Amino acid sequence: MTRTFVAIYPSPEAVEHLEAFVEVRRECGRFRWTFPTHWHLTLAFFEDVPERSFEALVEGLEAAVGKRTSLTAAIAGGGAFPHVGRAKVLWAGVDVDDAAELEKLAKGCRASGATAGAPPAGERLRPHLTLARINPPIEATKWVRLLDAYRGPNWPIDEVALVESHLGEGPKRRPRHEVVATFSFS
């Protein structure tokens, strides 16, 4: 069994811009900040992909992504999960030029997993990049207002990645992410 997700990674310029905005704030709060190399927009998450299903998943994703057209995005705004009053996660939003196309892309990726024998976990798509995890939860209105003032540069979404997540194998016992396949749009 393999823990995997389908992701869109921001461009290096978009990551650099957001990192400059976040860097001066990293010492504030009781946050466990995510690494910029881990910033991604998750389209589908598969908690357990059986080895026998992996090839079918890759083929399904290639077909699903190949049906879609490229997008343009910008990291903008932010929020907190589960809600601002009791935030456990602080996130930056992702604006795309065609939200309906992004939703179709995510549905196609989720369907590919289900068809391959790896049902997706999680809920409906909410385009975001996880910036920090917070424990214990906090009231995060000031942080969300700060993020709401942020807008990074536009960047093209020209590929989607299938990523294996190896829990506890990365720096500071965080996950290690390994891109195992990429898929291009039509």
Side-chain angles (χ1 to χ4, degrees), residues 8-19 36-37 39-41 71-75 94 129 150 152-159:
I8 294 172
Y9 283 94
S11 70
E13 295 80 19
V15 169
E16 185 178 302
H17 195 273
L18 180 59
E19 172 61 9
T37 55
W39 290 342
H40 65 273
L41 185 165
L71 300 161
T72 300
I75 301 167
V94 179
L129 310 177
Y150 177 79
N154 288 343
W155 46 277
I157 298 173
D158 47 22
E159 73 176 15

Side-chain angles (χ1 to χ4, degrees), residues 64-82:
V65 175
K67 292 178 185 176
R68 308 278 35 112
T69 59
S70 60
L71 300 161
T72 300
I75 301 167
F81 292 134

Side-chain angles (χ1 to χ4, degrees), residues 24-165:
V24 297
R25 295 161 176 88
R26 283 192 185 268
E27 297 303 316
C28 300
R30 301 179 305 261
F31 300 172
R32 186 173 55 133
W33 293 93
T34 58
F35 300 121
T37 55
H38 282 192
W39 290 342
H40 65 273
L41 185 165
T42 302
L43 296 172
F45 173 68
F46 309 106
E47 193 164 0
D48 294 309
V49 178
E51 196 171 310
R52 68 181 183 283
S53 300
F54 189 79
E55 188 175 319
L57 174 61
V58 170
E59 290 171 3
L61 290 170
E62 186 171 35
V65 175
K67 292 178 185 176
R68 308 278 35 112
T69 59
S70 60
L71 300 161
T72 300
I75 301 167
F81 292 134
H83 55 80
V84 174
R86 192 160 168 74
K88 293 181 179 181
V89 173
L90 190 65
W91 52 266
V94 179
D95 285 340
V96 294
D97 61 346
D98 189 342
E101 183 69 9
L102 182 66
E103 184 67 35
K104 289 175 189 174
L105 175 62
K107 284 181 181 179
C109 292
R110 292 171 61 85
S112 296
T115 301
E123 299 178 15
R124 192 168 167 250
L125 176 69
R126 180 160 193 168
H128 73 280
L129 310 177
T130 298
L131 297 178
R133 298 190 185 286
I134 309 161
N135 191 14
I138 65 166
E139 201 294 319
T141 300
K142 290 179 183 179
W143 285 96
V144 171
R145 283 186 184 147
L146 179 70
L147 287 169
D148 279 344
Y150 177 79
R151 182 164 186 91
N154 288 343
W155 46 277
I157 298 173
D158 47 22
E159 73 176 15
V160 173
L162 178 61
V163 182
E164 287 185 0
S165 178

